Amino acid sequence: MAEIKTSLTDGRRVLLRPIRPSDLDLIREGIIEMSDQARYLRFFSTFKEPPEAVVQRLGSVDGHLHIGWGARLLDGKEYPAIGAVHAIRENAESPDAELAIAVLDEYQGYGLARMLIAAVLSHCSQAGIKSLEIHVLPENKPAKTLMLSLGAQRTPALDNVYHYRMDVEDALRLLEQPMQPEGIADVLAAFDMKLAA
């Protein structure tokens, strides 16, 4: 998979690329950099240091059973990790996967979450994944708004977590609409070029 260079809506340059098993340090640092509230909303936990099992799981990306994309800021010398999205399915033949996304607080509201979702949806489409399930805490209003804007439907559940189901192709069609952040067009174009290659 190619790397994708694009811009946030405020002009800051970012790099999106598939997560690699060698990214464990970036994953660990990214989780530590999250605010306590953001960490709780993403992991449903109050840990300060991520358990090693969580880091290992997020780094065990193979591009088929576990699809993961990360974003790094193309600024300064260290290019910090600023967001990641994962789609994980239970077995290689399953048409369904579970979606999870995290963006550092400082980079929220600039289109990055949608760009990451566009990348993972495009990758899922190529890998034969048809729908994604997303678990969102009731107090996570931005995530609920984002899911609904991408056509996700809330499904009944017995716990106190909101469960959504998103159709991959329907969500991609919504992301192709002109009112989306410009960076999404860069992401979708990168996948179209790969498909044509």
Side-chain angles (χ1 to χ4, degrees):
M1 284 293 167
E3 296 182 340
I4 303 166
K5 291 181 180 177
T6 187
S7 298
L8 302 179
T9 56
D10 67 353
R12 285 179 289 183
R13 297 288 293 165
V14 293
L15 171 75
L16 276 63
R17 67 161 173 80
I19 293 171
R20 305 168 185 144
S22 59
D23 287 335
L24 295 183
D25 287 342
L26 283 172
I27 292 168
R28 188 178 295 106
E29 291 163 15
I31 294 171
I32 291 169
E33 287 297 315
M34 294 171 77
S35 68
D36 291 344
Q37 176 71 0
R39 202 178 304 112
Y40 172 69
L41 293 176
R42 165 60 181 88
F43 295 102
F44 303 0
S45 172
T46 57
F47 60 70
K48 297 279 188 188
E49 293 272 339
E52 192 57 29
V54 170
V55 175
Q56 292 290 333
R57 177 165 168 75
L58 293 176
S60 64
V61 174
D62 64 6
H64 187 76
L65 189 67
H66 180 169
I67 296 168
W69 278 74
R72 299 180 78 174
L73 184 66
L74 292 178
D75 186 24
K77 296 179 180 177
E78 299 196 7
Y79 297 159
I82 59 173
V85 63
H86 297 263
I88 303 173
R89 49 183 165 186
E90 289 187 8
N91 62 70
E93 289 74 40
S94 175
D96 306 313
E98 184 176 335
L99 177 75
I101 184 165
V103 172
L104 294 185
D105 296 50
E106 182 184 344
Y107 303 94
Q108 293 178 14
Y110 298 102
L112 182 57
R114 287 178 183 273
M115 286 184 259
L116 285 166
I117 288 175
V120 85
L121 286 171
S122 299
H123 197 150
C124 284
S125 179
Q126 293 178 0
I129 295 173
K130 304 296 184 191
S131 70
L132 297 169
E133 184 173 342
I134 308 100
H135 303 145
V136 179
L137 289 172
E139 60 266 41
N140 193 347
K141 292 179 182 175
K144 292 188 293 186
T145 300
L146 177 60
M147 291 306 109
L148 293 173
S149 75
L150 294 174
Q153 301 290 319
R154 189 171 170 200
T155 58
L158 297 176
D159 56 21
N160 62 349
V161 175
Y162 283 26
H163 295 247
Y164 293 93
R165 183 162 293 278
M166 179 190 299
D167 181 273
V168 169
E169 299 302 327
D170 287 350
L172 280 170
R173 277 190 284 276
L174 288 169
L175 285 168
E176 290 171 353
Q177 300 302 311
M179 74 283 293
Q180 298 293 335
E182 288 183 21
I184 291 175
D186 294 335
V187 173
L188 297 177
F191 276 89
D192 286 342
M193 286 188 289
K194 185 183 185 307
L195 285 172

